[in-house]
Amino acid sequence: MYWRTRFGAAPPPRGKTHVAGINFKGDRRPAMLIGGDNSNGAKAFSLYLHIPYCQSKCPYCDFNSHAAASWPEDDYVRALVAEIERRASEAPWAGRPLKTIFFGGGTPSLFQPESIAAIVAAAARNFGIETGAEVTLEANPGTVDAAKLGGMRAAGVNRISFGAQSFNEARLKFLGRIHSVGETREAARIAHRAGFERLNLDLIFAVPGQSVDEVLNDIAQAAALGPDHISAYNLTFEEGTAFFTEMKRGQIRPLDSDRQAEFYAAVREELPRRGYRMYEISNYAPPGHEARHNLSYWRAESYLGLGAGAHSFARGEGGGSGRRWWNERVPVRYVERALAGGLAEAGGETVKADGARGEFVFLNLRLREGFALADFETRFGASFDSVFGARAARLFEGELLVRDEGRIYLSERGLELADSVFAEFI
Amino acid sequence: MTDPTLIRNFSIIAHIDHGKSTLADRLLERTGALSKRELKEQFLDSMDLERERGITIKARSVRLAYAARDGKTYTLNLIDTPGHVDFAYEVSRSLAACEGALLVVDASQGVEAQTLANVYMALDHGLEIVPVINKIDLPGADVDRTRTEIEEIIGLDAADAILTSAKEGIGIDEVLEAVVTRIPPPRATPGAPARALIFDSWYDVYQGAIGLVRVFDGELRRGMRVHLMGTGKTGEVMRLAHFTPFEAEVEQLGPGEVGMIAANVKTVADMRVGDTITSAEHPAGEPLAGFKELKPMVFAGLYPTEANQYGALRDAIDKLRLNDASLVFEPESSQALGFGFRAGFLGLLHMEIAQERLEREFGLNLVITAPTVAYRVRKQGGETIMVDNPSRLPDESVIEAIEEPFILASIHVPQEYLGAVMSLCEERRGTQRDLRFAGRGRAILHYEMPLAEVVFDFYDRLKSVSRGYASLDYEFLDFRPGSLVKLDLRINGDVLDALSVIVHRDRAYERGRVLCEKMREHIPRQMFEVAIQASIGAKIIARESVKALRKNVTAKCYGGDITRKRKLLEKQKEGKKRMKQVGKVEIPQAAFLALLKAGE
């Protein structure tokens, strides 16, 4: 495969025995330090663009997405462009280039390449895009063909993220996906042919009825398509989703948490075996191939989110505080407001210094490398120990957190109990 | 002053619901003390709580004028008594103020346990007992059988028992005549220095401590300087009065008379029930017999549900204390419950009443911990201390012996449940003293039992094994050495002070197992394993564990999720506020409560 030359040979073939039984007790030091932020210093920022439309709504999805047979594509593009123009003229975004762009959804691949091109061009015109910037587009394998992906590539997109989810037809159906396993394979081939060197595949595990072996097979199937990034998400039952309602009614039952832990352990063992290093709770990639856009979130950096329901965060000047805000969720209302003056804010909050410190910790701890104590201190003007020392003591003592060479990160067991650990920093 | 030969002092002894209050109302009505219109039902029980529960907590007295068939008008002092054994001492003082008592027995129910204790007490005080068989109008009434029971169980001649229906007003005149003719008048020693027995006291905001007294010798006059022989206080008589039942102020109280006294004494702790009032100028040589300081028998922690109510609880307790000298309180703090008080009570009912008053009269919400008893600990070197809180038990190495309070339990039970009740008593380390059959298929059991076994849900179990038919009465016997040990509950090795209990060695394993299980049920899985152990000293005798949570991680957290995610974590943290951190783990307050709370 095209990237394999960069990060090594294929993993050794494996027999039927899987790794569910292997314990992650030992705190092997995770391979550290995601490099590769080749932007021009801290000034460059990440831009998120939300495309809320889908052909159908998946029963597990709690994102701001809306099933639609048709959508006001031109208006929506004009709305995004209006927002770009408006934001580019004001603090804190004015005069700062983009290091990443991410088209998320919804299903951005429903839009025509011309639309995406218009948006990228507007971003380039108004903010400027750094050389080597990462431009990602989320795509449903059932919505692409060679022409579309070729067009997207030409529009400036250089990374595609497919929602593969599973390589089992029955499972795809259960998950409400509109595509087949065959379409996933075909989409990945087309993407390569269209010149996408960076490709992510999303997988979902711990689906009721699934076995660990099936998930390991999904991983093998996904890896065989040669992506340079795999996101593997534990299925969750979020409020407001069809699955949540069915769960409440007793129609489906999530796997118990002990079983989910087995799946998660197997996934964490299997992906690195195939060359995908775990760098975040649910994300795996060969070194240097991490999703730079998402790293901005986990490193608690500023990002600008445009489109219906998109969230933005602007770090404050000193003290570590910041402001977060979000747009109108309903697409028609978003479009109407954005077109009227380039702003569609529906709400926001000030993240005060103590809240910001907690966020910094729980976001950065999602990363396998955690964070450097020095970075914490630089950002907040106080040492981690002076702020959280007392609360973190039992986490270190209980070996959920590790302190090593000036960094703090989750142990293997800490990863499995990340939310419990995070709650200590709130 | 009333001629003592025209005075009759009496009280009414009856089991709950056998009609004491109704009979008292009839007597008031018949003697014209109250018109029907004025007569609130059950006038004597003035506190709401008493009326609701049908029991009398504080004694009252009422002075009745009765024109008897012999043409003379008598002064009858009806002295009401508390109806529960927790107040046995107050009952005994009230009885000591009388020359006779009406024994009221429900014709359909027969003699009950509670009645017995009070009848024997009355007999001990040499009172003339007049049996009254009440509720003869009820379909289930069996007068002959009731008569036989009075004779066989109590040993009183019931041939002359008066038959009444207080509800229907039947036999009331006969009762009043019997009071005059069968109960002797008070006897006084002429010229003796004043001696009056305090048989009740309460606090009044304007007058301070008020005493209800029965004058035995001499007289009390307004303006007289008096001396309280037990507490050593002195005061000046500010006010004297009868209750008719309305307060009627008088200048003096003579021999045999009953009334209230206000003597510039500040607290009820100085106006103790059982104490003797005498003249400060011409004091009596000896006080009246029977004064004793009451020792609390049952102890429990009282904690406000909301920490910010601690101050309000303290104020409420101070006020309650003004009126109840037998309540003992001291501040206490608990790992689980925060700041509160350790309180000593005369018994379980006394405890319940105090709790209800605090909640009802002062609007407090309380957590009350499971009751315990006070142990007498003999230390090496001869020192003896009382320990009412297990966490204060001295180290095992310095203890010579631990003694626990024993009681004599009287249990009335239908024969069909006899076996079950006996097993329960044996299970609770009881020793049978005797068993008598009492007609109507009922048995009277006497067991010597450790009080600790009785306060620990015994009453509920008794009711349950007898389908509610058994009744219980008990009196304190003595302290007896036992094979007692302190049982500690440990969380990951750390002892939770608040949960330590003193138990009999034979019962320690079972109790330890139950405590551990209960604890486990209330502890959620969390980051770390929770080892729950029960131990005697360093020896672990029971264990349970709550395995560590294996997975709690949100799979997705991107730009749009952060605010929501933080709010979820905040919520999670909010829930933790009701948890106590013990070492590395967190124990919900509910778990402490489940182990501490009374009635669970």
Side-chain angles (χ1 to χ4, degrees), chain A residues 227-304:
Chain A
D228 73 334
H229 191 285
I230 291 177
S231 300
Y233 299 111
N234 192 116
L235 176 64
T236 52
F237 294 74
E238 302 291 341
E239 223 171 318
T241 64
F243 272 1
F244 184 82
T245 309
E246 289 172 38
M247 176 181 75
K248 286 285 159 202
R249 289 194 192 129
Q251 291 158 336
I252 43 173
R253 211 174 63 191
L255 301 183
D256 73 50
S257 84
D258 289 5
R259 186 94 181 101
Q260 292 187 23
E262 284 174 31
F263 275 78
Y264 189 34
V267 169
R268 297 205 314 279
E269 187 76 1
E270 181 66 6
L271 280 162
R273 213 186 253 281
R274 294 185 178 275
Y276 300 88
R277 187 175 76 172
M278 179 185 193
Y279 72 96
E280 193 261 359
I281 282 171
S282 302
N283 286 281
Y284 306 79
H289 290 248
E290 298 85 6
R292 283 176 54 209
H293 181 85
N294 293 336
L295 286 175
S296 305
Y297 301 141
W298 300 319
R299 285 176 171 156
E301 297 297 343
S302 299
Y303 55 87
L304 177 62

Side-chain angles (χ1 to χ4, degrees), chain A residues 62 233-234 238 257-258 260-261 264 281-283 294 297-298 303 311 324 349 359 362 366 394-395 398 400 413 415-420 422-424 426, chain B residues 525-529 547-570 572-573 576 581 583-586:
Chain A
D62 71 329
Y233 299 111
N234 192 116
E238 302 291 341
S257 84
D258 289 5
Q260 292 187 23
Y264 189 34
I281 282 171
S282 302
N283 286 281
N294 293 336
Y297 301 141
W298 300 319
Y303 55 87
H311 286 231
R324 185 173 285 114
E349 62 179 4
E359 278 188 5
F362 85 67
R366 292 190 69 89
R394 66 174 177 151
L395 300 174
L400 295 177
R413 218 174 80 74
L415 281 173
E416 293 174 338
L417 295 174
D419 286 1
S420 301
F422 296 166
E424 298 296 307
I426 297 302
Chain B
R525 289 178 70 178
Q526 48 193 287
M527 286 188 281
F528 305 107
E529 178 167 341
K547 279 204 285 184
L549 191 63
R550 275 218 47 200
K551 186 167 186 290
N552 177 30
V553 49
T554 305
K556 287 189 182 188
C557 186
Y558 296 102
D561 303 315
I562 296 168
T563 300
R564 192 167 49 104
K565 172 85 175 133
R566 198 191 60 232
K567 284 186 176 149
L568 285 173
L569 291 172
E570 279 165 5
Q572 200 172 322
K573 195 195 170 193
K576 277 191 175 184
Q581 193 167 329
K584 277 191 306 197
V585 300
E586 277 141 355

Side-chain angles (χ1 to χ4, degrees), chain A residues 1 13 72 100 217 271 337 407 412 417:
Chain A
M1 291 291 162
T100 70
N217 180 56
L271 280 162
R337 286 195 53 194
R407 300 188 73 84
E412 288 289 342
L417 295 174

Side-chain angles (χ1 to χ4, degrees), chain B residues 98-262:
Chain B
C98 300
E99 276 74 32
L102 303 175
L103 166 64
V104 179
V105 181
D106 185 325
S108 64
Q109 304 288 320
V111 176
E112 302 272 4
Q114 273 184 11
T115 326
L116 281 181
N118 287 354
V119 173
Y120 292 137
M121 198 187 278
L123 289 170
D124 284 349
H125 285 92
L127 265 59
E128 179 66 32
I129 311 279
V130 178
V132 175
I133 299 176
N134 192 28
K135 301 199 187 181
I136 56 166
D137 59 308
L138 289 186
D142 188 337
V143 172
D144 288 341
R145 196 170 196 176
T146 306
R147 220 190 287 267
T148 312
E149 279 182 29
I150 292 173
E151 292 182 345
E152 285 180 357
I153 302 170
I154 306 177
L156 280 177
D157 182 1
D160 295 334
I162 299 162
L163 308 184
T164 62
S165 165
K167 197 166 134 247
E168 300 298 324
I170 299 167
I172 306 304
D173 284 351
E174 285 72 15
V175 171
L176 287 164
E177 275 304 310
V179 168
V180 169
T181 57
R182 287 161 68 173
I183 294 174
R187 275 173 316 204
T189 316
R195 287 200 299 177
L197 172 71
I198 303 171
F199 62 88
D200 190 12
S201 68
W202 67 90
Y203 179 77
D204 181 279
V205 191
Y206 304 105
Q207 306 175 78
I210 305 283
L212 262 188
V213 297
R214 149 75 196 268
V215 180
F216 278 83
D217 297 318
E219 59 180 54
L220 299 176
R221 273 176 285 94
R222 193 150 68 148
M224 178 175 163
R225 299 225 328 119
V226 289
H227 175 68
L228 289 103
M229 301 180 79
T231 60
K233 299 277 165 180
T234 53
E236 185 186 334
V237 179
M238 310 301 286
R239 208 156 172 272
L240 294 167
H242 299 305
F243 294 100
T244 68
F246 305 107
E247 211 172 292
E249 207 170 334
V250 292
E251 285 298 312
Q252 59 202 4
L253 290 174
E257 286 197 291
V258 171
M260 62 140 274
I261 178 171

Side-chain angles (χ1 to χ4, degrees), chain B residues 21-76:
Chain B
S21 301
T22 316
L23 180 61
D25 289 347
R26 291 294 166 211
L27 298 180
L28 263 69
E29 192 191 323
R30 174 65 186 75
T31 56
L34 283 179
S35 68
K36 264 208 164 98
R37 196 170 44 79
E38 287 170 321
L39 188 69
K40 263 201 289 173
E41 213 188 325
Q42 299 180 13
F43 182 87
L44 291 179
D45 292 349
S46 59
M47 276 187 281
D48 282 355
L49 197 58
E50 292 186 359
R51 194 168 302 126
E52 253 168 56
R53 292 172 155 251
I55 53 169
T56 309
I57 299 161
K58 284 305 222 178
R60 293 283 185 277
S61 82
V62 60
R63 179 180 166 115
L64 311 170
Y66 173 61
R69 286 174 190 162
D70 64 6
K72 295 179 198 161
T73 297
Y74 290 82
T75 295
L76 310 185

Side-chain angles (χ1 to χ4, degrees), chain B residues 485-505:
Chain B
V485 292
K486 185 169 128 204
L487 181 65
D488 290 322
L489 203 77
R490 293 165 184 266
I491 294 294
N492 290 353
D494 295 337
V495 173
L496 299 180
D497 263 359
L499 300 180
S500 296
V501 287
I502 293 173
V503 291
H504 192 266
R505 192 176 289 277

Side-chain angles (χ1 to χ4, degrees), chain A residues 145-359:
Chain A
D145 55 25
K148 180 170 267 184
L149 287 185
M152 294 294 186
R153 184 74 192 85
V157 177
N158 54 23
R159 184 172 179 269
I160 292 282
S161 175
F162 281 126
Q165 320 306 12
S166 169
F167 287 83
N168 173 313
E169 295 291 357
R171 213 66 64 205
L172 284 177
K173 208 161 179 188
F174 177 77
L175 293 170
R177 302 298 296 177
I178 57 166
H179 59 92
S180 64
V181 171
E183 282 173 313
T184 302
R185 295 207 175 92
E186 184 56 21
R189 277 192 281 271
I190 295 171
H192 289 159
R193 260 183 256 130
F196 286 101
E197 295 198 345
R198 302 192 57 196
L199 174 66
N200 169 62
L201 296 180
D202 280 351
L203 293 175
I204 294 179
F205 64 87
V207 179
Q210 212 174 30
S211 66
V212 169
D213 275 340
E214 184 185 317
V215 173
L216 296 179
N217 180 56
D218 283 347
I219 291 171
Q221 300 282 331
L225 299 178
D228 73 334
H229 191 285
I230 291 177
S231 300
Y233 299 111
N234 192 116
L235 176 64
T236 52
F237 294 74
E238 302 291 341
E239 223 171 318
T241 64
F243 272 1
F244 184 82
T245 309
E246 289 172 38
M247 176 181 75
K248 286 285 159 202
R249 289 194 192 129
Q251 291 158 336
I252 43 173
R253 211 174 63 191
L255 301 183
D256 73 50
S257 84
D258 289 5
R259 186 94 181 101
Q260 292 187 23
E262 284 174 31
F263 275 78
Y264 189 34
V267 169
R268 297 205 314 279
E269 187 76 1
E270 181 66 6
L271 280 162
R273 213 186 253 281
R274 294 185 178 275
Y276 300 88
R277 187 175 76 172
M278 179 185 193
Y279 72 96
E280 193 261 359
I281 282 171
S282 302
N283 286 281
Y284 306 79
H289 290 248
E290 298 85 6
R292 283 176 54 209
H293 181 85
N294 293 336
L295 286 175
S296 305
Y297 301 141
W298 300 319
R299 285 176 171 156
E301 297 297 343
S302 299
Y303 55 87
L304 177 62
L306 307 178
H311 286 231
S312 301
F313 176 66
R315 270 181 63 177
E317 298 299 316
S321 62
R323 198 178 113 73
R324 185 173 285 114
W325 64 92
W326 45 89
N327 277 350
E328 201 68 66
R329 274 178 75 87
V330 179
V332 283
R333 256 188 276 153
Y334 158 73
V335 168
E336 196 182 312
R337 286 195 53 194
L339 287 178
L343 288 180
E345 259 184 72
E349 62 179 4
T350 299
V351 184
K352 295 204 192 95
D354 58 339
R357 288 193 286 253
E359 278 188 5

